[in-house]
Amino acid sequence: NAGVTQTPKFQVLKTGQSMTLQCAQDMNHEYMSWYRQDPGMGLRLIHYSVGAGITDQGEVPNGYNVSRSTTEDFPLRLLSAAPSQTSVYFCASRRDRDSGNTIYFGEGSWLTVV
Amino acid sequence: KQEVTQIPAALSVPEGENLVLNCSFTDSAIYNLQWFRQDPGKGLTSLLLIQSSQREQTSGRLNASLDKSSGRSTLYIAASQPGDSATYLCAVHPRDYGGATNKLIFGTGTLLAVQP
């Protein structure tokens, strides 16, 4: 019963490097999204997807890229890491567009950019 | 712009006490409000979801209420236990973004410590 799985758990990057945070869900959910959590600011939506091949921007999309080639996977790419992207990143999924359905979160990816 | 505020930021209570966590939001145009629990180093777990047409939801020792007109929600925890220690987050799903997103507006949370 894996749910939402994120890798890696921890990562240190140098400024300017690129990397991909992986997210996979095994619940056949249509909706997937990425949030970042910063102290004193709560969670903020970066990008989301309503199904394979469909993505859209959230509240803070700059510096990030996403794709959704399969229902299961929703990777988040940092194109050129900056210290401002030091944060905890959470992937989430929901069965479909019904906002009354439970949203499931992964356990987070801690990213430090030096 | 929708803003969600949670007071207090931190709370420490002795085991067995009943307690109330508060959440307020600035725009009543919401689909629903959710309460989450976050343990250190872990993701968020959904506790209760209240649709905009509902007044409250209950699950075990937890009861969440929603007063949309005043922009307030409370999470009541009965007979608190040390295992309840965690950060509790509330989030609203604003109507102006439609139902087709996962966009939730989160508060910054209340850190609860239940002392044995």
Side-chain angles (χ1 to χ4, degrees):
Chain A
N1 206 13
V4 180
T5 304
Q6 291 183 233
T7 56
K9 181 91 172 179
F10 300 99
Q11 183 72 49
V12 178
L13 282 180
K14 293 182 179 178
T15 297
Q17 285 185 319
S18 63
M19 77 156 298
T20 299
L21 300 178
Q22 302 290 344
C23 176
Q25 51 89 11
D26 61 357
M27 298 173 282
N28 200 33
H29 284 178
E30 291 183 3
Y31 274 64
M32 296 185 74
S33 54
W34 278 100
Y35 286 83
R36 60 179 287 174
Q37 185 176 34
D38 301 292
M41 300 193 72
L43 281 82
R44 292 179 293 167
L45 182 67
I46 306 172
H47 285 286
Y48 65 95
S49 169
V50 300
I54 306 170
T55 64
D56 207 344
Q57 296 181 350
E59 188 180 357
V60 287
N62 292 340
Y64 307 95
N65 208 354
V66 292
S67 60
R68 185 97 180 268
S69 57
T70 66
T71 299
E72 295 77 20
D73 300 301
F74 190 44
L76 178 72
R77 298 181 186 86
L78 279 71
L79 309 173
S80 178
S84 61
Q85 294 179 303
T86 294
S87 187
V88 184
Y89 292 85
F90 289 98
C91 180
S93 75
R94 196 178 76 205
R95 188 177 70 193
D96 55 31
R97 67 181 295 155
D98 185 348
S99 62
N101 288 328
T102 299
I103 186 169
Y104 295 87
F105 283 83
E107 294 202 336
S109 295
W110 272 252
L111 176 66
T112 300
V113 182
V114 298
Chain B
K1 179 184 174 184
Q2 178 75 265
E3 292 182 1
V4 179
T5 303
Q6 291 186 247
I7 295 173
L11 181 64
S12 180
V13 300
E15 182 177 3
E17 268 202 12
N18 303 325
L19 60 99
V20 174
L21 307 180
N22 296 296
C23 174
S24 61
F25 48 97
T26 55
D27 189 339
S28 62
I30 62 172
Y31 284 105
N32 57 56
L33 182 144
Q34 299 184 57
W35 283 93
F36 295 87
R37 169 184 173 138
Q38 184 176 25
D39 293 287
K42 300 290 186 181
L44 283 68
T45 300
S46 179
L47 296 174
L48 290 165
L49 183 151
I50 312 175
Q51 299 286 10
S52 62
S53 58
Q54 298 174 323
R55 297 283 294 185
E56 65 177 344
Q57 283 286 337
T58 298
S59 176
R61 293 182 294 107
L62 305 179
N63 176 276
S65 67
L66 175 63
D67 184 342
K68 219 172 48 164
S69 61
S70 67
R72 293 181 182 180
S73 176
T74 61
L75 178 66
Y76 175 82
I77 302 177
S80 58
Q81 303 171 357
D84 294 329
S85 299
T87 297
Y88 290 81
L89 298 156
C90 73
V92 299
H93 188 159
R95 278 192 178 273
D96 56 348
Y97 288 96
T101 75
N102 271 348
K103 183 170 179 65
L104 299 175
I105 306 294
F106 283 85
T108 52
T110 294
L111 176 61
L112 173 65
V114 181
Q115 307 300 330

